[in-house]
Amino acid sequence: MDLDAVTKQSVLHAKPDGLILQYGTAGFRTKAEHLDHVMFRMGLLAVLRSKQTKSTIGVMVTASHNPEEDNGVKLVDPLGEMLAASWEEHATCLANAEEQHLPRVLVDISEKAAVDLHQDAFVVIGRDTRPSSERLSQSVIDGVTVLGGQFYDYGLLTTPQLHYMVFCRNSNGQYGKATVEGYYQKLSSAFVELTKQAFCRGDDHRTLKVDCANGIGALKLAEMKHYFSPGLSVQLFNDGTKGKLNHLCGADFVKSHQKPPQGIEMRANERCCSFDGDADRIVYYYHDADGQFHLIDGDKIATLISSFLKELLLEIGDGLSLGVVQTAYANGSSTRYLEEVMKVPVYCTKTGVKHLHHKAQEFDIGVYFEANGHGTVLFSKAAETKIKQLAKESEDEKRKAAKMLENIIDLFNQTIGDAISDMLVIEAILALKGLTVQQWDALYTDLPNRQLKVKVADRQVISTTDAERQVVKPPGLQEAINDLVKKYRLSRAFVRPSGTEDIVRVYAEADSQENTDSLAYEVSLAVFQLAGGIGERPQRGF
């Protein structure tokens, strides 16, 4: 490790004074002009991680659903998964090191992680369409090369595509070809095969309108959509030719504001969906005949997919376990429908994709979606082997169900939530079941819900347990919440501290919007009084 060369190169990517950043589930994110040093240092870290794992490591330059002027970076581990927690700590330490301490920190990481510095390193890089992304990608490359690492720059990719590339390279091509064309062919051929029977019937619900958030998803879906023909016609809106990335459009906007994005034409009962800026989230929606907006979020996506999987598993009758993983933010109606109607086990984890992902890996088939539309289906290696065997050997009906499951395995980008693969699975299920978007929406009715924030002097006064659904401290707060919840029908509420700022997030739901809003206000007031609230006291009405 040539530390003198690192020091000289690092001067060209100097750290701003006083800037402290934390590597989280989404990696690093902040204003693009503050990230040059972080990108250079993540190039360094990717080389060390590659040497330690003897594998290809990915670096993705993106800030996902954040505004266009932001940017960020995340590292992708060998199986296409998120960076290991112990290396998140290394990333934070390296990003925040002062210039004069950088060589020492690199040596410390190498020693703590037992990195063989003589091992070769290979890093693959992708970026989204932000104006700052190309320049920041070059800073990553500077970091990789100064430590002697080899690299391949894929250029413009969705975040899930980079995860796919890393997994392909580390599985010696068994997962798929590590090219954009390979990605397109794998997903589209599985989609065409799965929907062959439905589209032979001539079902008339094949057109989908897609809001691409003026992001990378538009470029990639435009390249890919001819593969779906004649099974699915995709019309692209907010495709980046005009309008700013994620501005008044995209999955996060639609979910947060409960209304359609600007720039999309909607007629009554047409299926529409929105990606986020890097195409790892998706939500569906439509207008009914009265012009009322209906959102179909991650909870209903998980319900549709897991219900279909349950039917196929009953058909093959081979005892594979199916589990759905949610967070406390999942609507109570979705949980009740899955458990009581579909008889599918549901588990709750802490907020954050990595928690859902790890829990889902405990099942033969694990379905997880956050309400924001980020999610996927994971198949264990044993389940995959068994399904592929049944697809070859079983009698007709069982073989047909197993073959469908085999296609679904190929359709899902199992390394991470992928808006494109999620979209194809949803469209396939709707076609095979003959469901309209209204019928899908009518599987259950969401309970009214409300989310609020309370400013506090120190968020660390709040600690939680039971997947963040119960408060441990401060004393008396959980008891106060319990008493308030008892006042309303079908109600629940929980509070959790923000991971990044001194606020406490409040979630409430109940049988009516009026009762939900009252419960949310009362719980916010209890937080303000018992957890050191500052500034203006919570007010009724929003």
Side-chain angles (χ1 to χ4, degrees):
M1 190 158 58
D2 188 343
L3 295 178
D4 287 339
V6 170
T7 300
K8 287 177 185 175
Q9 188 69 248
S10 183
V11 172
L12 304 177
H13 303 279
K15 175 183 175 293
D17 290 338
L19 181 64
I20 302 293
L21 296 171
Q22 181 77 32
Y23 193 104
T25 301
F28 292 111
R29 283 189 198 166
T30 189
K31 298 297 181 193
E33 63 262 29
H34 300 319
L35 280 169
D36 181 54
H37 75 290
V38 173
M39 298 295 176
F40 171 72
R41 294 174 184 201
M42 290 309 99
L44 301 175
L45 191 72
V47 169
L48 295 183
R49 182 63 171 157
S50 177
K51 288 175 181 287
Q52 193 231 17
T53 59
K54 300 180 173 63
S55 305
T56 297
I57 295 297
V59 180
M60 184 69 200
V61 178
T62 183
S64 187
H65 56 277
N66 280 37
E68 189 174 273
E69 57 270 20
D70 290 357
N71 218 318
V73 60
K74 58 178 81 170
L75 271 65
V76 179
D77 254 3
L79 298 181
E81 74 273 49
M82 287 166 285
L83 185 64
S86 60
W87 279 74
E88 287 184 12
E89 295 176 21
H90 295 326
T92 298
C93 189
L94 189 61
N96 294 324
E98 298 303 328
E99 287 294 329
Q100 67 270 28
H101 300 144
L102 185 60
R104 179 70 246 167
V105 172
L106 283 171
V107 171
D108 285 347
I109 293 171
S110 301
E111 292 175 351
K112 285 177 184 174
V115 176
D116 177 2
L117 295 173
H118 300 292
Q119 175 69 34
D120 290 339
F122 196 84
V123 178
V124 293
I125 301 158
R127 67 176 190 271
D128 69 13
T129 54
R130 292 163 200 273
S132 59
S133 288
E134 187 170 6
R135 173 180 56 82
L136 292 175
S137 249
Q138 185 56 53
S139 299
V140 174
I141 291 169
D142 290 349
V144 172
T145 54
V146 78
L147 275 190
Q150 301 296 306
F151 72 92
Y152 183 82
D153 183 6
Y154 278 99
L156 293 168
L157 287 182
T158 70
T159 294
Q161 284 176 335
L162 184 73
H163 285 253
Y164 167 88
M165 301 305 172
V166 172
F167 194 17
C168 288
R169 285 174 175 270
N170 289 319
S171 64
N172 296 316
Q174 290 182 358
Y175 186 66
K177 293 180 182 175
T179 63
V180 173
E181 191 71 20
Y183 171 92
Y184 294 157
Q185 288 177 347
K186 181 180 182 183
L187 268 63
S188 58
S189 60
F191 173 76
V192 169
E193 183 65 31
L194 182 60
T195 54
K196 201 176 285 180
Q197 181 183 3
F199 291 142
C200 283
R201 298 195 302 260
D203 293 349
D204 188 26
H205 52 267
R206 303 185 196 174
T207 300
L208 176 67
K209 293 184 171 179
V210 185
D211 156 35
C212 297
N214 290 314
I216 183 64
L219 300 181
K220 298 307 173 182
L221 207 49
E223 293 173 357
M224 187 180 186
K225 65 179 184 177
H226 70 275
Y227 286 97
F228 311 145
S229 184
L232 176 65
S233 173
V234 175
Q235 298 177 9
L236 306 184
F237 296 84
N238 296 319
D239 62 358
T241 54
K242 57 180 187 283
K244 288 179 66 176
L245 178 71
N246 294 323
H247 181 61
L248 302 177
C249 60
D252 192 58
F253 173 85
V254 173
K255 171 66 176 169
S256 300
H257 292 83
Q258 303 276 312
K259 65 181 184 181
Q262 285 190 7
I264 193 168
E265 305 159 13
M266 290 176 64
R267 291 194 291 269
N269 298 321
E270 281 187 325
R271 282 193 328 287
C272 303
C273 70
S274 286
F275 293 177
D276 67 337
D278 66 337
D280 66 0
R281 293 185 185 185
I282 185 171
V283 295
Y284 272 68
Y285 46 91
Y286 68 99
H287 272 147
D288 63 24
D290 297 323
Q292 182 75 30
F293 176 76
H294 295 256
L295 174 68
I296 302 177
D297 65 8
D299 295 339
K300 278 199 170 152
I301 292 172
T303 301
L304 177 75
I305 292 171
S306 55
S307 299
F308 187 66
L309 291 173
K310 175 80 181 288
E311 290 175 19
L312 295 179
L313 289 174
L314 288 172
E315 194 69 53
I316 67 171
D318 215 78
L320 293 174
S321 65
L322 172 67
V324 177
V325 187
Q326 299 180 327
T327 71
Y329 287 105
N331 196 277
S333 289
S334 71
T335 310
R336 272 189 286 274
Y337 180 83
L338 286 164
E339 289 181 333
E340 298 171 14
V341 179
M342 292 309 304
K343 308 297 183 188
V344 173
V346 180
Y347 300 85
C348 188
T349 71
K350 291 172 66 174
T351 304
V353 174
K354 63 183 174 185
H355 302 298
L356 292 127
H357 194 90
H358 291 154
K359 185 66 180 178
Q361 289 175 317
E362 296 178 13
F363 308 98
D364 292 320
I365 304 174
V367 181
Y368 74 82
F369 275 85
E370 292 184 294
N372 62 28
H374 190 174
T376 192
V377 178
L378 304 179
F379 291 80
S380 71
K381 196 44 113 178
E384 195 174 323
T385 301
K386 188 174 287 188
I387 287 165
K388 291 187 174 180
Q389 184 179 0
L390 289 168
K392 293 176 184 173
E393 299 176 0
S394 304
E395 64 268 20
D396 285 351
E397 286 306 310
K398 186 181 280 191
R399 188 178 71 229
K400 183 177 164 186
K403 190 65 183 170
M404 284 185 173
L405 283 167
E406 188 177 31
N407 289 325
I408 288 172
I409 289 170
D410 286 338
L411 258 177
F412 272 112
N413 187 344
Q414 294 185 60
T415 64
I416 189 177
D418 182 340
I420 293 176
S421 64
D422 292 344
M423 178 193 81
L424 293 176
V425 171
I426 291 164
E427 291 300 313
I429 294 172
L430 293 177
L432 289 163
K433 300 289 290 178
L435 288 175
T436 65
V437 69
Q438 305 97 294
Q439 290 169 326
W440 174 20
D441 188 31
L443 289 176
Y444 63 83
T445 302
D446 279 330
L447 285 168
N449 56 85
R450 178 69 67 186
Q451 296 185 43
L452 299 176
K453 300 175 184 177
V454 180
K455 287 185 178 181
V456 292
D458 179 7
R459 66 184 184 276
Q460 294 184 7
V461 301
I462 298 252
S463 64
T464 62
T465 188
D466 187 25
E468 302 176 308
R469 291 176 292 187
Q470 297 283 316
V471 174
V472 176
K473 63 176 191 177
L477 180 54
Q478 187 57 51
E479 290 76 9
I481 294 171
N482 293 343
D483 290 342
L484 293 169
V485 165
K486 289 174 187 173
K487 294 168 56 179
Y488 303 99
R489 287 189 65 249
L490 300 176
S491 63
R492 69 184 182 99
F494 68 90
V495 305
R496 53 180 289 270
S498 164
T500 56
E501 52 188 322
D502 285 322
I503 61 171
V504 176
R505 303 186 189 280
V506 174
Y507 179 92
E509 60 184 44
D511 61 337
S512 70
Q513 193 64 58
E514 183 181 359
N515 285 342
T516 297
D517 289 346
S518 292
L519 177 58
Y521 158 71
E522 290 167 352
V523 171
S524 296
L525 197 58
V527 170
F528 190 87
Q529 292 169 338
L530 297 172
I534 59 173
E536 187 178 355
R537 290 166 64 89
Q539 302 292 314
R540 284 191 183 275
F542 310 105

